[in-house]
Amino acid sequence: SVRNSADHGLETPDERLRANKSETGRITLNAYHEGGHILIEISDDGRGLNTERIKAKIIQNGLASESELDGMADAQIYQFIFKPGFSTAAAVTAVSGRGVGMDVVRTNIEKIGGTIELKSKFGRGSTFVIKIPLTLAIVSALIVESCGERFAIPQISVVELVRASADSEHRIERIHGTPVLRLRNRLLPLVSLERLLRLDRTEGDTTTESFIIVAQVGTYNFGIMVDRVFDTEEIVVKPVAPILRHLSLFSGNTILGDGSVIMILDPNGIAASTGEMTVSENAQVDAAAARDTHDHERTTLLIFRAGDGGPKAVPLSLVARLEEIDLETVEFSHDKPMVQYRDKLMPLIPIVPGMKMQRTGRQPVLVFADGEHSMGLVVDEIIDIVEDRMAVELAADRPGFIGSAIIAGRATDVIDTGYFLLQAFGDWFHAGRDKLFDGRTKAKRILLVDDSPFFRNLLIPILSVNGFSVTSADSADDALTMVESGETFDVIVSDIEMPGTNGYEFARAVSASKWAGTPMVALSSHTAPQDLERAREVGFTDYVPKFDRDALIHTLNQLLSTEKVA
């Protein structure tokens, strides 16, 4: 539009003088924010649009008849300049004749939800008004620095900021080279921006503290390690140059107020670079591809040694903290060891029954926490943190173990966390049994819906070892988005007590969707007769007390065998 104003809008100096105008023409560019949009105005004090000339061109191109044009206002006639190939210029010049017509301009603006308007007065000038949604042009971003290089991280992906140093509550720890952060009741995997982007640190830069940007992609939380954190800024997003588009770590670039150009980091790409699965933003995902992705899901596992035999493993997401306790602080109540932990008594449960604990020295402990309960699982040595498929190939014949799997190339025992939790607190799961079930099922697809990450991570291995293929969702709304993507399941298992859309509302929505007819099992800690009756009324096939794993496996086997016979 600026080029058009200069080439077509402004007259020559002689023409301007004859029209009683100043010899020098003026083009005004104005941008401002109004009502959630950016408005860009390009105006000139030139010759304006010649309505009669435009009409002649319209008739010449066969776009409208003379009678039709007679009934149109000037504003309607001006819209014809946005038609493909339409031009009233007598000759093509290097200023505006670049092969891009006004139709291309309008198309590209409308693609991002914007509009373009034209106002003109013959002999006085023209004004183009471009309106672009603010959210598509500007984003709120956190400016960070690593090794002297600044980057922007979209604020929408940032959960919180954590300062980590040797003398603070939060310290970065390394388990066989893998950095992790103890953050409240969980271990947070960390990504070093310096290593990820292979940045060069200048000599003399001896930073003693780090800042952790806690980011969230889908249901996956991780920390990005940086040297400095600046302020949050509203930045204009510019697309990545074609030569860099294959790099998934960047989503664009921007120009800061001081004129420096910085890259905008893409948290999805960073999460993918760590090997974690990300949730696709496109709901219309190919169902077969989605199933294939699920079948090859990788899990972050903590590998450790305890007692005799080979290494043992537990999903890292279940572990709240890794501690080394001073054995002199261990107390005994009813001959059971416990330690004062965060102003409460925490039971210490050995993996090996009858294991005698030493009285002095330090002992590695895996801390599991959920709500008010915490339990320390006593181990001999923490070996490593790895990412691998947890495909249990051989079921265990002893309590406390789910079975054996090949993890990091070695036969590894996968522990049944729930068994040890019940050893610490019999009411941990409200109603649970501690014996290992031995149900036998074929590979059937189960959708597990529960807002508790702890419960999902606890139950998925249990269902997997029984031959089920499990897909999880952290809310009813997320589960319902799978309907349109073409996902199908043999059974849906859903918690009742969930924030937002609860289990009862979810069951009604399923009954009215493409999943109607899919067996549904309700999980709840409330087992009153009226609860069971309400669950059946809204469409649940069966009702199982939450954390009664034997009852759940029995119910699933029964449902699927009944379905097969039917």
Side-chain angles (χ1 to χ4, degrees), residues 506-540:
F506 174 56
R508 291 192 188 95
V510 168
S511 300
S513 72
K514 297 176 183 177
W515 286 348
T518 303
M520 295 188 67
V521 178
L523 294 176
S524 178
S525 56
H526 304 291
T527 56
Q530 59 268 27
D531 296 321
L532 277 67
E533 186 62 30
R534 185 182 177 190
R536 294 188 184 279
E537 286 177 359
V538 297
F540 280 105

Coordinates of all heavy atoms in Angstrom, one line a residue, residues 506-540:
F506 N -19.2 -36.5 32.1 CA -18.5 -37.1 31.0 C -19.2 -38.3 30.4 O -19.3 -38.5 29.2 CB -17.1 -37.5 31.6 CG -16.2 -38.3 30.6 CD1 -15.9 -37.8 29.3 CD2 -15.8 -39.6 31.0 CE1 -15.1 -38.6 28.5 CE2 -15.0 -40.3 30.1 CZ -14.7 -39.8 28.8
A507 N -19.8 -39.1 31.3 CA -20.5 -40.3 30.8 C -21.7 -39.9 30.0 O -22.0 -40.5 28.9 CB -21.0 -41.1 32.0
R508 N -22.4 -38.8 30.3 CA -23.6 -38.4 29.5 C -23.0 -37.9 28.1 O -23.7 -38.2 27.1 CB -24.3 -37.2 30.2 CG -25.0 -37.6 31.5 CD -26.0 -36.5 31.9 NE -26.6 -36.7 33.2 CZ -26.1 -36.3 34.4 NH1 -25.0 -35.6 34.4 NH2 -26.7 -36.6 35.5
A509 N -21.9 -37.2 28.1 CA -21.4 -36.7 26.8 C -20.9 -37.9 26.0 O -21.1 -37.9 24.7 CB -20.2 -35.8 27.1
V510 N -20.4 -38.9 26.6 CA -20.0 -40.1 25.8 C -21.2 -40.8 25.2 O -21.2 -41.2 24.0 CB -19.2 -41.1 26.7 CG1 -19.0 -42.4 26.0 CG2 -17.8 -40.5 27.0
S511 N -22.3 -40.9 25.9 CA -23.5 -41.6 25.5 C -24.1 -40.9 24.3 O -24.8 -41.5 23.4 CB -24.5 -41.6 26.6 OG -24.0 -42.3 27.7
A512 N -23.8 -39.5 24.1 CA -24.3 -38.8 23.0 C -23.3 -38.6 21.9 O -23.5 -37.8 20.9 CB -24.8 -37.4 23.5
S513 N -22.2 -39.3 22.0 CA -21.1 -39.1 21.0 C -20.9 -40.4 20.1 O -21.7 -41.4 20.3 CB -19.8 -38.8 21.7 OG -19.3 -39.9 22.3
K514 N -19.9 -40.4 19.3 CA -19.6 -41.6 18.5 C -19.1 -42.7 19.3 O -19.0 -43.9 18.9 CB -18.5 -41.2 17.5 CG -18.9 -40.2 16.5 CD -17.7 -39.8 15.6 CE -18.1 -38.7 14.6 NZ -17.0 -38.3 13.7
W515 N -18.8 -42.5 20.6 CA -18.4 -43.5 21.5 C -19.5 -44.2 22.2 O -19.4 -45.1 23.1 CB -17.4 -43.0 22.6 CG -16.0 -42.7 22.1 CD1 -15.5 -43.1 20.9 CD2 -15.0 -42.0 22.8 NE1 -14.2 -42.6 20.8 CE2 -13.9 -41.9 21.9 CE3 -15.0 -41.3 24.0 CZ2 -12.7 -41.3 22.3 CZ3 -13.8 -40.7 24.4 CH2 -12.7 -40.6 23.5
A516 N -20.8 -43.8 21.9 CA -21.9 -44.4 22.5 C -21.9 -45.9 22.3 O -21.6 -46.5 21.2 CB -23.2 -43.9 21.9
G517 N -22.1 -46.7 23.4 CA -22.0 -48.1 23.3 C -20.7 -48.7 23.8 O -20.6 -49.9 24.1
T518 N -19.7 -47.8 24.0 CA -18.4 -48.3 24.6 C -18.6 -48.5 26.1 O -19.1 -47.6 26.8 CB -17.3 -47.3 24.3 OG1 -17.2 -47.0 22.9 CG2 -16.0 -47.8 24.9
P519 N -18.3 -49.7 26.6 CA -18.4 -50.0 28.0 C -17.6 -48.9 28.9 O -16.5 -48.6 28.5 CB -17.8 -51.4 28.2 CG -17.9 -52.0 26.9 CD -17.7 -50.9 25.9
M520 N -18.2 -48.5 30.0 CA -17.6 -47.5 30.8 C -17.5 -48.0 32.3 O -18.5 -48.5 32.8 CB -18.3 -46.2 30.8 CG -18.3 -45.5 29.4 SD -18.9 -43.8 29.5 CE -17.7 -43.0 30.5
V521 N -16.4 -47.8 32.9 CA -16.2 -48.2 34.3 C -15.9 -47.0 35.1 O -15.0 -46.2 34.8 CB -15.1 -49.2 34.4 CG1 -14.9 -49.6 35.9 CG2 -15.3 -50.5 33.6
A522 N -16.7 -46.8 36.2 CA -16.6 -45.6 37.1 C -15.6 -46.0 38.2 O -15.7 -47.1 38.7 CB -17.9 -45.2 37.6
L523 N -14.7 -45.1 38.6 CA -13.8 -45.2 39.7 C -14.1 -44.1 40.7 O -14.2 -43.0 40.4 CB -12.4 -45.1 39.3 CG -11.8 -46.2 38.3 CD1 -10.4 -45.9 38.0 CD2 -11.9 -47.6 39.0
S524 N -14.3 -44.5 42.0 CA -14.6 -43.5 43.0 C -14.3 -44.1 44.4 O -14.4 -45.3 44.6 CB -16.1 -43.1 42.9 OG -16.4 -42.2 44.0
S525 N -13.9 -43.2 45.3 CA -13.7 -43.6 46.7 C -15.0 -43.7 47.4 O -15.0 -44.2 48.6 CB -12.7 -42.7 47.4 OG -13.2 -41.3 47.3
H526 N -16.1 -43.3 46.8 CA -17.4 -43.3 47.5 C -18.2 -44.5 46.9 O -18.3 -44.7 45.7 CB -18.2 -42.1 47.2 CG -17.5 -40.8 47.7 ND1 -17.3 -40.5 49.0 CD2 -16.9 -39.8 47.0 CE1 -16.6 -39.4 49.1 NE2 -16.4 -38.9 47.9
T527 N -18.6 -45.4 47.8 CA -19.3 -46.6 47.3 C -20.7 -46.8 47.9 O -21.2 -47.9 48.1 CB -18.4 -47.9 47.6 OG1 -18.2 -47.9 49.1 CG2 -17.1 -47.8 46.9
A528 N -21.3 -45.7 48.2 CA -22.7 -45.8 48.8 C -23.7 -46.2 47.7 O -23.4 -46.0 46.5 CB -23.1 -44.4 49.3
P529 N -24.8 -46.9 48.0 CA -25.7 -47.4 47.0 C -26.2 -46.3 46.1 O -26.4 -46.6 44.9 CB -26.8 -48.0 47.9 CG -26.2 -48.4 49.2 CD -25.1 -47.3 49.4
Q530 N -26.4 -45.1 46.6 CA -26.9 -44.1 45.7 C -25.9 -43.6 44.7 O -26.3 -43.2 43.6 CB -27.4 -42.8 46.6 CG -26.3 -42.2 47.4 CD -26.3 -42.8 48.8 OE1 -26.7 -43.9 49.1 NE2 -25.8 -41.9 49.8
D531 N -24.6 -43.8 45.0 CA -23.5 -43.4 44.1 C -23.5 -44.4 42.9 O -23.4 -44.1 41.8 CB -22.2 -43.4 44.8 CG -22.1 -42.3 45.8 OD1 -22.6 -41.2 45.6 OD2 -21.5 -42.6 46.9
L532 N -23.7 -45.7 43.3 CA -23.7 -46.7 42.3 C -24.9 -46.6 41.3 O -24.8 -46.7 40.1 CB -23.8 -48.1 42.9 CG -22.4 -48.8 43.3 CD1 -21.8 -48.0 44.5 CD2 -22.6 -50.2 43.7
E533 N -26.1 -46.2 41.9 CA -27.3 -46.1 41.1 C -27.2 -44.9 40.2 O -27.5 -45.0 39.0 CB -28.5 -45.8 42.1 CG -29.8 -45.8 41.4 CD -30.2 -47.1 40.7 OE1 -29.7 -48.2 41.1 OE2 -30.8 -47.0 39.6
R534 N -26.6 -43.8 40.7 CA -26.4 -42.6 39.8 C -25.5 -42.9 38.7 O -25.7 -42.4 37.5 CB -25.9 -41.4 40.7 CG -25.8 -40.1 39.9 CD -25.3 -39.0 40.7 NE -25.2 -37.8 39.9 CZ -24.5 -36.7 40.3 NH1 -24.0 -36.6 41.5 NH2 -24.4 -35.6 39.5
A535 N -24.4 -43.6 39.0 CA -23.4 -44.0 37.9 C -24.1 -44.8 36.8 O -23.9 -44.5 35.6 CB -22.3 -44.7 38.5
R536 N -24.9 -45.7 37.2 CA -25.6 -46.5 36.1 C -26.6 -45.7 35.4 O -26.8 -45.9 34.2 CB -26.3 -47.7 36.8 CG -25.3 -48.7 37.4 CD -26.0 -50.0 37.9 NE -25.1 -50.9 38.6 CZ -24.3 -51.7 37.9 NH1 -24.3 -51.8 36.6 NH2 -23.5 -52.5 38.6
E537 N -27.2 -44.7 36.0 CA -28.2 -43.9 35.3 C -27.6 -43.1 34.2 O -28.2 -42.8 33.2 CB -28.9 -43.0 36.3 CG -29.9 -43.7 37.2 CD -30.5 -42.7 38.3 OE1 -30.1 -41.5 38.3 OE2 -31.3 -43.2 39.1
V538 N -26.4 -42.6 34.4 CA -25.8 -41.7 33.4 C -25.0 -42.5 32.3 O -24.5 -41.9 31.4 CB -24.8 -40.7 34.1 CG1 -25.5 -39.8 35.0 CG2 -23.7 -41.4 34.8
G539 N -24.9 -43.8 32.5 CA -24.3 -44.6 31.4 C -23.2 -45.5 31.7 O -22.6 -46.2 30.9
F540 N -22.7 -45.5 33.0 CA -21.6 -46.3 33.4 C -22.1 -47.8 33.4 O -23.1 -48.1 33.9 CB -21.0 -46.0 34.7 CG -20.1 -44.8 34.7 CD1 -20.5 -43.5 35.2 CD2 -18.8 -44.9 34.2 CE1 -19.7 -42.4 35.1 CE2 -17.9 -43.8 34.1 CZ -18.4 -42.6 34.6

